[in-house]
Amino acid sequence: MSDQRTPTQTLDAVVVGAGFAGLYMLHRLRQLGFSARVIEAGSGAGGTWFWNRYPGARVDIESMQYSYQFSEELQQEWQWSERYAPQAELLAYINHVVERFDLARDIQFNTRVVSAVFDQAGSRWQVTTDGDDRFSARFCIMATGCLSAANKPDIKGIDSFKGPTYHTGEWPHDGVDFTGKRVGIIGTGSSAIQAIPEIARQAAHLTVFQRTPTFSVPARNAPLDPEYVANVKQNYAALRKTAKQQFVAFDTKANERAATDMSAEEIKVELERRWAMGGLNFYGGFADLLVNQHTNDMVADFVREKIAQKVKNPATAALLTPKVIFACKRLCADTDYFETYNRDNVLLVDISTTPIAEIASEGLTVADKAYAFDALVFATGFDAMTGSLNKIDIRGSGGNTLKEKWSAGPRTYLGLCSAGFPNLFTISGPGSPSVFTNMVTSIEQHVEYIGDIIAYMGKHKLSAIDATKEAEDAWVDHVNEVAGGTLVNSCSSWYLGANIPGKQRVFMPYIGGFPPYVEKCNEVAKNGYEGFALK
Ligand code: NA7
């Protein structure tokens, strides 16, 4: 009998995901003369910006910085319209990149990678998809994103609601019209904080179910001033250089002083200045924000006071006031979030001590109180950092799965490779600065680093690269040690996997900052990729 299966396609690399990471990886591989195919589950490119189409979705790092810098022509020619680009503009930018660099011919859309199995004898990855495609590639590069596996909470009766339900991370492409509708929304993280003011303006009524209040600072979004844009473009290289010297890989005009070295008056001025600047510049206020409890309390109290000033009803204001460490969960930047609770058509329901009991056909119940809606929104986040990887059956040398290996928390060397999985790379993987930085800049660094490794292997006629167990153990220890020295290790955030029931609580991203991380990567390369076994 003949083999009816589709013939195996042979490539240098398979790249999984066509977001910021996968697209640049494809471009880079081509520049280096390698053949590659990108496999993407969505019907279009864009990753995060393809899926997260909820009302109000926009980036919270300034667009002039949250963009590729690998092409001078691209960054000079593209015109951002607002300080923080809305989702549609980001998607237009990504589609422009696809077209400009002729990427689409090597992207296979509407296709999900099901398995990636390493064939030790041939040092190749055998990749299969839900469309029955088979690829054989020397390298498998996971560009699957940090926040792309939607978390649907395990609430009794979740499928019984008779109206439409939406997850912010899987929003319908045609948009949703909430006019005249009673809407319920579960969650008050970044996505909800952007969506709530927009939905409240449109819907007849909005009920927000809040488990944990979130710290948020005003984004102060505005149309971009042409003079400012011209100035940035004239000095783009300098801005990018400054940004790369920052902990977060974007320019927050960081204050290098710790609050402990400042007078009470100086601290007050700095806090007000940061509040007026808007957005995540707030991170840059004090060098000891994430390591000194007293500094953190002071910043937290400042923001708590601002919340109290914004929300008219004192009981609602109290519920909206976070009690945890400032920036312990991802800091949010909002437009009129707290003010939205002053509207007559918005109700805040606290579910911190009494969780949602059940979702029923008309709505949901908390304790014995029922809330009825026409539509229900889940702004309940993602199985972060490992969720998308765990959905793929990834088997390394000896047939071990990555999921099993990571069952007690992800283990990587530099967030790039995991021992026992040769020639497999993760872009912005766990153990790299990723979500603590400007993602686009971190992605570019990883893509270029992976490209360099692959080129190096070609030059030295090497067939396999794998992290050594010793290097990986030392890196994981370092990642944990750095996290343990900060205040953010202590709360129930997605950084720790605490939002997913049953997930091991391990601090996943590297919180040592972008510059020391890059320095470490460069040192590793300079020493002939020390910590990697090359064959
Ligand atoms: P987040 O930040 O993880 O927020 C999810 C929200 O949903 C958060 O308020 C959660 O409360 C809440 N949640 C999750 N599960 C439940 C259940 N079962 N019941 C009630 N409430 C629940 O996701 P986002 O999409 O907003 O943002 C993700 C990132 O995107 C963000 O950090 C930025 O980096 C951009 P909790 O806080 O866990 O008590």
Side-chain angles (χ1 to χ4, degrees):
M1 237 171 77
S2 69
D3 187 348
Q4 295 297 305
R5 294 183 304 176
T6 27
T8 300
Q9 298 176 55
T10 304
L11 298 158
D12 290 316
V14 164
V15 179
V16 188
F20 268 105
L23 295 176
Y24 182 37
M25 192 73 244
L26 170 61
H27 180 59
R28 190 76 186 149
L29 285 165
R30 278 192 192 160
Q31 280 180 329
L32 293 166
F34 296 106
S35 61
R37 190 124 185 100
V38 178
I39 311 300
E40 166 58 54
S43 59
T48 290
W49 303 109
F50 176 85
W51 297 102
N52 287 267
R53 297 172 189 240
Y54 59 84
R58 64 176 69 243
V59 62
D60 58 12
I61 290 174
E62 295 183 19
S63 319
M64 298 296 289
Q65 300 197 54
Y66 187 86
S67 46
Y68 289 122
Q69 53 190 292
F70 69 82
S71 160
E72 182 59 17
E73 294 75 21
L74 172 65
Q75 70 177 4
Q76 287 298 333
E77 285 169 29
W78 183 261
Q79 298 290 339
W80 294 109
S81 66
E82 295 176 57
R83 184 179 183 188
Y84 303 103
Q87 173 271 333
E89 192 168 320
L90 282 152
L91 197 56
Y93 170 75
I94 287 164
N95 285 326
H96 169 78
V97 169
V98 169
E99 210 170 293
R100 185 176 189 119
F101 299 103
D102 186 23
L103 301 177
R105 66 186 157 88
D106 281 324
I107 308 175
Q108 187 163 326
F109 293 108
N110 299 307
T111 309
R112 213 170 253 288
V113 168
V114 179
S115 72
V117 179
F118 187 66
D119 159 28
Q120 201 146 359
S123 268
R124 298 186 76 84
W125 282 92
Q126 308 299 334
V127 177
T128 61
T129 73
D130 60 357
D132 234 7
D133 310 282
R134 293 184 299 153
F135 300 94
S136 167
R138 285 180 62 209
F139 300 96
C140 182
I141 303 168
M142 296 297 179
T144 42
C146 293
L147 295 158
S148 33
N151 168 39
K152 304 233 178 76
D154 186 15
I155 300 173
K156 188 177 162 201
I158 191 163
D159 296 324
S160 340
F161 185 65
K162 68 168 194 229
T165 60
Y166 309 98
H167 189 286
T168 49
E170 294 174 348
W171 205 259
H173 288 200
D174 299 336
V176 179
D177 185 3
F178 290 118
T179 309
K181 300 270 183 342
R182 298 162 307 162
V183 182
I185 183 166
I186 303 173
T188 51
S190 287
S191 304
I193 278 177
Q194 292 187 329
I196 285 168
E198 299 286 329
I199 299 175
R201 266 195 282 276
Q202 194 181 53
H205 191 271
L206 177 65
T207 310
V208 180
F209 296 91
Q210 174 188 267
R211 189 163 69 180
T212 315
T214 312
F215 279 111
S216 185
V217 295
R220 306 206 190 283
N221 186 37
L224 277 171
D225 171 13
E227 212 175 299
Y228 166 77
V229 173
N231 191 30
V232 167
K233 287 189 174 177
Q234 256 170 32
N235 303 289
Y236 233 141
L239 172 66
R240 299 297 199 180
K241 189 170 169 215
T242 307
K244 283 183 181 173
Q245 287 159 353
Q246 309 295 307
F247 184 95
V248 287
F250 58 95
D251 187 12
T252 59
K253 314 271 179 297
N255 174 11
E256 281 170 15
R257 292 167 75 194
T260 43
D261 298 333
M262 295 166 71
S263 69
E265 187 51 32
E266 282 176 319
I267 290 170
K268 196 161 170 279
V269 169
E270 183 65 6
L271 281 167
E272 290 293 354
R273 198 172 75 84
R274 294 272 153 192
W275 188 258
M277 280 165 85
L280 303 185
N281 292 313
F282 214 79
Y283 274 128
F286 308 98
D288 55 350
L289 173 69
L290 298 180
V291 290
N292 184 299
Q293 184 70 56
H294 179 68
T295 302
N296 195 282
D297 287 344
M298 202 178 51
V299 174
D301 283 344
F302 174 84
V303 178
R304 287 176 186 132
E305 252 175 63
K306 294 285 188 192
I307 296 171
Q309 285 164 15
K310 284 173 185 237
V311 183
K312 288 187 189 142
N313 179 322
T316 307
L319 282 181
L320 288 167
T321 303
K323 318 235 165 4
V324 293
I325 285 157
F326 182 81
C328 200
K329 292 194 175 205
R330 170 68 150 65
L331 177 63
C332 301
D334 69 277
T335 302
D336 294 339
Y337 173 65
F338 294 108
E339 292 83 346
T340 297
Y341 292 93
N342 295 332
R343 297 176 65 103
D344 293 339
N345 69 335
V346 177
L347 173 70
L348 178 67
V349 178
D350 172 30
I351 51 167
S352 60
T353 48
T354 314
I356 294 166
E358 186 173 5
I359 296 178
S361 65
E362 304 292 327
L364 59 79
T365 51
V366 178
D368 51 5
K369 189 153 175 31
Y371 300 87
F373 327 105
D374 305 305
L376 187 54
V377 177
F378 293 95
T380 44
F382 302 88
D383 183 354
M385 311 212 68
T386 55
S388 303
L389 291 167
N390 282 342
K391 282 186 184 175
I392 304 171
D393 185 16
I394 303 170
R395 291 174 189 265
S397 18
N400 299 328
T401 69
L402 191 70
K403 193 174 174 179
E404 277 160 23
K405 181 181 170 185
W406 286 7
S407 59
R411 301 191 72 76
T412 70
Y413 182 39
L414 301 172
L416 279 164
C417 291
S418 192
F421 296 81
N423 295 6
L424 179 88
F425 297 100
T426 46
I427 301 178
S428 62
S432 74
S434 61
V435 293
F436 277 113
T437 63
N438 178 350
M439 281 299 288
V440 186
T441 305
S442 274
I443 282 169
E444 285 188 320
Q445 186 259 341
H446 262 193
V447 165
E448 286 163 17
Y449 199 77
I450 293 167
D452 288 351
I453 292 179
I454 294 179
Y456 177 92
M457 289 176 68
K459 193 169 150 208
H460 293 86
K461 310 229 173 324
L462 299 162
S463 63
I465 181 166
D466 196 3
T468 66
K469 188 171 175 313
E470 296 70 37
E472 178 174 286
D473 288 348
W475 183 250
V476 171
D477 287 349
H478 176 61
V479 169
N480 289 334
E481 193 190 320
V482 174
T486 70
L487 301 167
V488 297
N489 203 22
S490 60
C491 74
S492 301
S493 66
W494 57 254
Y495 299 136
L496 274 153
N499 62 328
I500 303 297
K503 191 166 174 174
Q504 192 76 20
R505 283 182 77 123
V506 172
F507 199 85
M508 294 181 285
Y510 177 57
I511 193 172
F514 185 75
Y517 174 79
V518 174
E519 202 179 305
K520 168 77 181 169
C521 289
N522 293 345
E523 195 187 292
V524 164
K526 203 173 86 201
N527 296 334
Y529 294 102
E530 66 182 342
F532 289 103
L534 292 150
K535 207 169 69 178

